[in-house]
Amino acid sequence: MSDAAPAHASSRTASARAASSRAAAGRAVPGLAAGHPVAERPARRRLAALGTLLLTGTALPAAVLTVPDASGNVVPAAASDLGLGDAGVAALLHATGLSLPALLLAVPIGAVAARRLPAWRVLAVGLAVLLAGLGAVRLADSVPLAGTVRAAQGAGAGIVLPASLVLVWERRDRALAAAWAGVLAGMLILAMPLALAAVPGPAGGAPGAGWRAALAPCPWLAVAAAGAALARPLLHGRIPWALPASRRAERGQLLLPLVPAAGFTFLAVVAAADWSPGARVLVAGLAVPALAGLAVTGGRDAPAGSPHGCALVMIAVGLLSYPVAAPLAGIAAATAQAHGAGLPLLPFAAGAAAALAGALAATRVPARGAVPAGFLLLIVAVALGLGTGARGHWTLLAPLVPLGAGAGLALAASLRDAAAGAALFGLSLCFPAVLAGQLLVLSLQAARLRGPRPPAEADRVDALLAGYHGWLAVAGMVAVLLAGAALGMAARRRNAASGPRAG
């Protein structure tokens, strides 16, 4: 008995050490299940990380590039080719804008699917739908077909986005998660300039001379994403990296944004067709606090909550990245065309690079300080945008670089220590915020163009710039409020977590 007792105690000690090491691994990355196979050869780990990085660098840009609508540049050629009158032109512009509404409705559904099924298969389905929408562009010989292919592209992109996020989360690598955040923030800044550069100008030639390029800008990125998806199983290996199965509470949280997002999408589509600019501003203005309230309410629960206010940061990035950069690209393109030049892509590429750099920098600094620093850069970018125009590379660089750096830094830092459900919940709120911001800025610009004294043709760019500056003033105030809400929410979670330990 005296010999058996030490042996039994030694066995208990070894078991406790093994359990402690598994628990430490689980704390290192949220969502790690006990007994998960963490042992992996370094070479295989690097190859698997490379496969995930290739998907992040191709699938994510391909999905975000479905958001911009550059068909306004090819209206004359499209109207002549399709035989449209004035009413038909308006219907065409509304149809080509259906990609973003379809995308934001597909994201919650794709998020649930990616947590219930193998994420790689969900990604493959999303890419297949996206490629089908891109490939069918050449068959779009009517307004309904143009709207259908754009909606298919948005639906495929909405499935790809959450699936790519889950694949990154499976790797449990902070740098890969930061790269995903940086690519998302950077592409929201770069998407519209790339779309404008890929389509013919307003005088884009005779009918049939390529106006359908506006329906599918840069389709080669989706083809590259499909290649990366096919290569991933070879790079991934046989080790079954997967997150713990989602529970009913998490699935309910992921579907929580679907109903309000559907209602807002319906109102936005209807308002864009017939309502006055003031009514559209009211719809978008009510959507922003509703999204923030949804983020605060959902973030109180464990499945969707995160230590650093991920959902509110996602709303801020969606509201302040694409809706700030895309109209600026349109104004810059119109200004450059008036001077016989092309759209300056370099400032927007610099903003996208700053987003990736800011996201990677977030892995080196404490998240508690990185999130407010990112918000501060976003506010500075908005202030600089108010003080500059859209003429010249240097004036464009002033707001775009801090915009990208702030969005990447805040987003990557807020995702740190967040579980997969919390990250997906935030992503479901990001693109409704994009739609709200886009509706706001376009409505404010339309109000300037349709005012009591409509501007002359030579003054249209100045009117667009004045409406854009009005949007920036609103965006700056909203950014301050979102920053305060995110920091307050993070502080409450820290206090709630430290309370039981202190007691």
Side-chain angles (χ1 to χ4, degrees):
M1 292 293 293
S2 59
D3 293 336
H8 186 60
S10 175
S11 175
R12 285 202 306 266
T13 302
S15 299
R17 288 175 179 172
S20 175
S21 64
R22 288 195 300 268
R27 287 192 299 270
V29 180
L32 182 60
H36 191 83
V38 296
E40 189 177 22
R41 292 180 180 178
R44 175 57 64 189
R45 174 178 286 274
R46 286 193 292 270
L47 282 176
L50 175 61
T52 306
L53 188 62
L54 287 175
L55 275 176
T56 299
T58 54
L60 204 52
V64 176
L65 272 171
T66 64
V67 173
D69 180 15
S71 58
N73 277 8
V74 295
V75 163
S80 178
D81 193 27
L82 299 178
L84 303 177
D86 292 341
V89 167
L92 176 65
L93 292 176
H94 297 148
T96 56
L98 291 178
S99 59
L100 178 55
L103 184 151
L104 68 89
L105 292 176
V107 168
I109 299 172
V112 173
R115 293 291 286 119
R116 292 272 293 177
L117 305 171
W120 180 79
R121 295 180 185 175
V122 176
L123 178 78
V125 171
L127 285 174
V129 175
L130 175 58
L131 286 169
L134 294 172
V137 162
R138 65 184 64 186
L139 304 177
D141 56 1
S142 66
V143 171
L145 284 176
T148 300
V149 298
R150 288 288 287 164
Q153 293 170 18
I159 298 171
V160 167
L161 286 166
S164 68
L165 177 58
V166 172
L167 289 173
V168 167
W169 242 243
E170 287 178 353
R171 292 309 309 162
R172 297 171 171 84
D173 188 305
R174 181 178 292 181
L176 280 177
W180 186 92
V183 172
L184 176 63
M187 283 306 303
L188 286 172
I189 293 172
L190 192 57
M192 180 56 87
L194 287 179
L196 290 174
V199 303
W211 65 267
R212 288 180 178 82
L215 303 180
C218 307
W220 56 269
L221 266 174
V223 177
L230 292 175
R232 183 182 178 274
L234 300 176
L235 299 173
H236 180 270
R238 297 182 178 180
I239 296 181
W241 282 88
L243 295 172
S246 62
R247 298 184 178 183
R248 181 176 299 177
E250 180 184 335
R251 295 194 293 272
Q253 289 288 345
L254 292 179
L255 290 175
L256 182 63
L258 184 58
V259 173
F264 169 56
T265 301
F266 174 76
L267 287 176
V269 171
V270 172
D274 300 314
W275 293 10
S276 66
R280 296 201 297 266
V281 167
L282 180 61
V283 170
L286 291 175
V288 174
L291 289 173
L294 192 61
V296 172
T297 302
R300 291 173 181 168
D301 299 327
S306 61
H308 308 293
C310 167
L312 284 167
V313 174
M314 281 278 194
I315 293 173
V317 170
L319 190 69
L320 298 173
S321 53
Y322 182 84
V324 169
L328 187 60
I331 296 170
T335 303
Q337 182 194 350
H339 293 84
L343 170 67
L345 282 175
L346 180 60
F348 296 92
L356 184 58
L360 294 177
T363 64
R364 302 293 183 178
V365 295
R368 186 174 179 178
V371 172
F375 269 109
L376 180 60
L377 285 171
L378 288 174
I379 296 169
V380 168
V382 171
L384 290 174
L386 277 168
T388 59
R391 296 173 175 85
H393 290 64
W394 296 110
T395 55
L396 290 172
L397 277 172
L400 288 173
V401 169
L403 177 70
L409 180 63
L411 184 55
S414 71
L415 288 173
R416 190 184 304 176
D417 302 324
L424 291 168
F425 177 73
L427 182 63
S428 298
L429 300 176
C430 178
F431 287 91
V434 172
L435 180 58
Q438 190 71 351
L439 188 60
L440 272 170
V441 62
L442 292 179
S443 301
L444 291 172
Q445 289 180 324
R448 291 283 182 171
L449 295 175
R450 301 178 189 176
R453 296 180 180 177
E457 190 66 28
D459 299 327
R460 286 178 62 86
V461 174
D462 292 334
L464 291 174
L465 188 58
Y468 177 69
H469 283 165
W471 151 242
L472 289 182
V474 175
M477 293 185 288
V478 174
V480 172
L481 294 175
L482 287 175
L487 297 181
M489 189 175 177
R492 285 193 297 271
R493 287 187 66 89
R494 285 195 298 269
N495 293 335
S498 61
R501 288 198 298 269

